[in-house]
Amino acid sequence: MGTKQSGPVGRPRGFDADEALERAMLVFWEHGYEGASLARLTEAMGISTTSMYAAFGSKEELFRKALERYTEGPGGYLARALDEPTALGVATAILAGAIRTTTRPARPHGCLGVQGALATGDPGHGVRDLLAAWRNDGCCRVRDRFQRAVDEGELPAGTDPGVLARYVTSLAFGIAVQAASGVPQDELRKMADAALRNWPLG
C-alpha cells in the first residue's frame, strides 16, 4: 500500500503561492519596502513568517517577485505602449497607463516601482538599486522605441531619443508621485495633455 505524498515543508494546507504573492505586492505597493513589515506582510498573505521564508526566501526576494508581478500586471501598460504605431502614440499611452494604474479605485495609489524604496535606509540598498535599475530599464526600452522613430523619419533627425525617453518616463513617475499625494485623475490628465502639446513632429 503506497503512502500519500506530503506537500512542501513549511507551507500550510491550502497555501496558494500566487494569491499570497498578489497580496504581498499590494502591501509593498501601499507601504513601500521598509513600511511593509514582516508582520504586515504575513498577515496579508495569510501565512506564518516561517512559511513565507520557506516559499519566497528573504523579504528582499519576496519584494523582487512582487515587483516582477507588478511589472507584468499593473505596470504592463509600458510594454503595451511600446507597440503603438507612432512615437506620440507611445508617449500618450505611457502617460495614460500611468494615470490609470496609479489612481485605480480599490488599489494603492502611486507606483510600486517609484515609491517602493524612496525612503529605505542602508539595509534596503539592494532594493533601492533594484528599483533604480527597474526604472532605468523602462527608460531604455522607450529610448530604443524612439530611436526607431528617428531612424524611420517619424521624429525629426535632430531629436535625442534618450532625452525624449527620459522626459516621458520622468513625467510618468511624476504622475505616480502626484497620484500617491491624492491629485485627482482629471488633473493628471490635463497635466499629461499639456506636457505632450509641443511633441516634436517629423
Side-chain angles (χ1 to χ4, degrees):
M1 181 181 254
T3 57
K4 188 175 180 182
Q5 293 294 315
S6 61
V9 175
R11 295 190 185 193
R13 187 186 298 266
F15 175 79
D16 183 333
D18 193 61
E19 176 63 25
L21 183 57
E22 173 74 15
R23 292 178 180 181
M25 179 193 76
L26 293 173
V27 172
F28 282 128
W29 188 353
E30 182 174 1
H31 299 285
Y33 181 74
E34 282 196 350
S37 65
L38 284 176
R40 182 174 267 155
L41 284 164
T42 52
E43 181 181 358
M45 295 164 80
I47 58 176
S48 68
T49 303
T50 303
S51 296
M52 191 277 282
Y53 281 123
F56 297 103
S58 65
K59 178 185 175 183
E60 186 171 322
E61 192 55 37
L62 175 63
F63 183 83
R64 286 176 185 274
K65 290 183 171 75
L67 182 62
E68 288 172 8
R69 187 178 184 90
Y70 179 86
T71 304
E72 293 166 4
Y77 65 85
L78 177 65
R80 291 189 295 274
L82 295 175
D83 291 331
E84 289 291 325
T86 67
L88 177 56
V90 170
T92 301
I94 288 173
L95 298 187
I99 293 168
R100 204 169 46 246
T101 300
T102 60
T103 60
R104 188 165 286 157
R107 287 276 183 150
H109 284 185
C111 170
L112 172 61
V114 174
Q115 278 112 267
L118 289 181
T120 56
D122 287 341
H125 71 87
V127 170
R128 272 204 316 273
D129 293 346
L130 170 69
L131 288 177
W134 180 85
R135 292 190 296 268
N136 195 53
D137 176 69
C139 185
C140 288
R141 292 169 69 190
V142 177
R143 179 200 63 206
D144 291 347
R145 176 63 183 82
F146 288 167
Q147 180 63 62
R148 197 177 92 204
V150 172
D151 294 343
E152 293 173 353
E154 183 207 332
L155 287 173
T159 303
D160 184 327
V163 170
L164 194 58
R166 189 68 67 187
Y167 173 68
V168 171
T169 54
S170 294
L171 280 170
F173 298 146
I175 283 169
V177 173
Q178 293 294 312
S181 301
V183 176
Q185 202 175 75
D186 60 339
E187 193 172 328
L188 295 173
R189 286 200 189 98
K190 288 175 185 174
M191 184 186 82
D193 290 344
L196 296 179
R197 205 161 286 148
N198 295 316
W199 186 257
L201 298 173

